[in-house]
Amino acid sequence: MTTNAELMQRRRAAVSNGVAQGFEIFVDRAENSEIWDTEGKRYIDFAGGIAVLNTGHLHPHVIGAVKAQLDRYTHTCFQVLAYEPYVELAEKLNALMPGPGPKKTVFLSTGAEALENAVKIARAATGRPAIIAFASGYHGRTNLTLALTGKVAPYKVGFGPFAGDIHHALFPNELHGVTIDDAIDSVELLFKTTVEPSRVAAILLEPIQGEGGFVPAPAEFVRRLKEIADRHGILIIADEVQSGAGRTGTWYASEQWPVAPDILTTAKSLAGGFPLSAVTGRAELLDAAVVGGLGGTYAGSPIACAAALAVLEVFEKENLLQRAKDIGARLTERFKGLSQQHPEIVDVRGPGAMVAFELAEAGNPGAPDAALTKRIVSEAQSRGLILLSCGTYANVIRILVPLTASDELIEEGLDIIADSLVAATA
Ligand code: PMP
């Protein structure tokens, strides 16, 4: 048996310090919502590889589709020799995107690449350079997506200069004193102080900020942003890398918006653990890119496309959109109950199964408690549960349990959270 400690030692010597590691655990195997480490210890997985495993680890239908694909061909590069799974998946995602009119899709491999390409497409379609993004938004680790990201540490530290003509407005967050009016005013202020609206190609937002703390964009905010966008010929891009692929009870979270986005990005749970991302949007926008302007050697790998088609089938067969709503209701009820005993829980929120709770000192939302959040994650780990935190102030616990997890397993995880709260606040 190789111990976690031995592997950590080798990792420290061989791997860049720039790559963080949430837990000093090395995985041996995983199944659905459980993981076993190299020492044979079992963990319940409420992290899902950061929102990648809505269909769980090694879903038999997904793995079956991948194995079948492995026996036929693994790579041709879609720009050289095309293949049906890419086209079929594009057809399916186009049909799922909200809003009227024909849609088109391009596939990439990572979420950041999807954002890079969404911006390229918006610029090509409008002939405009500037993008408005939001404080506390997260869009990736490439140079352009770091420019789009609205959080400094740790993502941007020491890595600039960043791509230009990206401007940040405030994202509404009532708990932290930013109203919808404040956020809308901050967009209008950018037009007065920083960039004229006729130079703005797109406004980019997450329907629910993921890394930023599971903070939903209120419907009223989206409606008013769309009014501003329409007034100035600006596109709306929804970054659904974390909120998409069924997490919130609809395939896209933006299906719950009062207005449809023009372009949206997906990745993570789209292909159930295989690297795949997509930019889907109004056909005339996707077609504005010059021929040869989009793509990539591995972009839309046949293995990942086969996996994603299987993920869509699993959602259908196992009714996972409804399951997301049911899991969300269960989590919300439990956390609301816990907040009665623990005033440190100052908010429980999120649509569908994209649920989180926020922690602050003495129940004062203005005093975020990152230290307590850390202690809860660590207490949970010692009790066999993998939990993730997030948030601008690192004081939010987010739940990304697979939608395929049984009620019993979810209850087991929730019991551990309850125990961990008691231990961490003692
Ligand atoms: N956008 C959002 C909303 C995300 O949550 C993430 C990843 N956490 C990304 C983009 C970047 O995706 P990737 O890590 O696959 O590049």
Side-chain angles (χ1 to χ4, degrees), residues 308-330:
L309 286 167
V311 163
L312 283 168
E313 284 162 9
V314 170
F315 262 82
E316 191 81 20
K317 275 193 204 143
E318 300 184 18
N319 202 7
L320 290 187
L321 293 180
Q322 183 56 46
R323 181 74 185 141
K325 292 177 191 150
D326 295 345
I327 289 176
R330 180 182 287 270

Side-chain angles (χ1 to χ4, degrees), residues 113-394:
E113 268 183 293
L115 269 300
E116 290 263 349
N117 283 278
V119 168
K120 279 157 56 178
I121 290 164
R123 285 174 170 164
T126 58
R128 300 172 176 193
I131 303 289
I132 293 181
F134 289 91
S136 296
Y138 180 84
H139 303 288
R141 294 180 185 271
T142 59
N143 188 270
L144 175 67
T145 56
L146 281 177
L148 296 169
T149 290
K151 186 175 179 191
V152 175
Y155 311 119
K156 301 195 189 203
V157 175
F159 293 151
F162 301 109
D165 243 331
I166 311 286
H167 311 284
H168 286 91
L170 295 175
F171 197 78
N173 189 339
E174 300 265 354
L175 198 67
H176 292 279
V178 183
T179 64
I180 294 172
D181 281 344
D182 294 337
I184 292 291
D185 288 350
S186 76
V187 174
E188 299 283 8
L189 190 65
L190 281 180
F191 293 158
K192 294 224 178 308
T193 60
T194 309
V195 59
E196 62 272 40
S198 60
R199 285 184 67 256
V200 177
I203 298 175
L204 163 68
L205 73 157
E206 295 161 83
I208 297 100
Q209 287 191 332
E211 301 307 312
F214 278 27
V215 182
E220 170 69 6
F221 175 62
V222 174
R223 198 186 53 69
R224 288 173 67 183
L225 271 186
K226 175 73 175 156
E227 272 171 21
I228 294 176
D230 284 349
R231 200 178 316 135
H232 300 292
I234 298 170
L235 302 173
I236 299 276
I237 304 174
D239 180 355
E240 296 242 22
V241 166
Q242 192 152 168
S243 64
R247 188 78 213 162
T248 67
T250 46
W251 179 254
Y252 298 115
S254 58
E255 289 173 53
Q256 298 166 45
W257 279 4
V259 293
D262 299 291
I263 294 171
L264 56 77
T265 55
T266 43
K268 293 197 184 268
S269 281
L270 175 61
F274 294 86
L276 184 70
S277 64
V279 182
T280 302
R282 287 167 38 212
E284 69 270 26
L285 304 175
L286 271 280
D287 282 342
V290 68
V291 175
L294 304 178
T297 307
Y298 294 110
S301 143
I303 298 166
C305 287
L309 286 167
V311 163
L312 283 168
E313 284 162 9
V314 170
F315 262 82
E316 191 81 20
K317 275 193 204 143
E318 300 184 18
N319 202 7
L320 290 187
L321 293 180
Q322 183 56 46
R323 181 74 185 141
K325 292 177 191 150
D326 295 345
I327 289 176
R330 180 182 287 270
L331 298 175
T332 304
E333 191 190 324
R334 188 68 179 267
F335 296 146
K336 289 220 157 117
L338 288 173
S339 74
Q340 304 295 309
Q341 299 143 39
H342 299 281
E344 298 88 352
I345 299 180
V346 290
D347 197 30
V348 177
R349 59 176 177 258
M354 198 165 173
V355 171
F357 59 90
E358 178 154 350
L359 296 150
E361 286 168 31
N364 169 13
D369 201 338
L372 172 61
T373 310
K374 244 190 176 158
R375 287 202 301 280
I376 293 169
V377 170
S378 150
E379 291 289 346
Q381 179 195 346
S382 68
R383 290 167 170 78
L385 174 70
I386 302 300
L387 270 186
L388 285 180
S389 62
C390 62
T392 307
Y393 310 103

Side-chain angles (χ1 to χ4, degrees), residues 3-189:
T3 64
N4 289 312
E6 284 162 355
L7 287 166
M8 271 316 292
Q9 205 173 1
R10 280 171 53 197
R11 185 234 200 259
R12 285 200 180 95
V15 179
S16 163
N17 282 342
V19 185
Q21 187 176 330
F23 304 91
E24 299 201 352
I25 293 172
F26 282 77
V27 176
D28 179 50
R29 66 191 174 87
E31 191 185 332
N32 197 355
S33 312
E34 292 168 283
I35 290 168
W36 288 265
D37 74 5
T38 53
E39 298 174 17
K41 179 166 169 154
R42 168 202 179 246
Y43 292 91
I44 295 172
D45 185 6
F46 271 20
I50 319 189
V52 170
L53 298 166
N54 287 348
T55 50
H57 292 274
L58 300 185
H59 192 291
H61 189 62
V62 177
I63 297 305
V66 166
K67 282 185 176 162
Q69 184 59 48
L70 284 175
D71 285 338
R72 297 180 63 207
Y73 54 89
T74 62
H75 178 80
T76 61
C77 184
F78 189 75
Q79 295 110 277
V80 179
L81 295 171
Y83 35 88
E84 188 176 351
Y86 187 117
V87 177
E88 188 182 346
L89 184 62
E91 290 166 347
K92 293 217 148 82
L93 295 186
N94 295 341
L96 285 162
M97 181 172 170
K103 311 292 190 317
K104 286 198 174 184
T105 289
V106 57
F107 291 111
L108 296 312
S109 302
T110 66
E113 268 183 293
L115 269 300
E116 290 263 349
N117 283 278
V119 168
K120 279 157 56 178
I121 290 164
R123 285 174 170 164
T126 58
R128 300 172 176 193
I131 303 289
I132 293 181
F134 289 91
S136 296
Y138 180 84
H139 303 288
R141 294 180 185 271
T142 59
N143 188 270
L144 175 67
T145 56
L146 281 177
L148 296 169
T149 290
K151 186 175 179 191
V152 175
Y155 311 119
K156 301 195 189 203
V157 175
F159 293 151
F162 301 109
D165 243 331
I166 311 286
H167 311 284
H168 286 91
L170 295 175
F171 197 78
N173 189 339
E174 300 265 354
L175 198 67
H176 292 279
V178 183
T179 64
I180 294 172
D181 281 344
D182 294 337
I184 292 291
D185 288 350
S186 76
V187 174
E188 299 283 8
L189 190 65

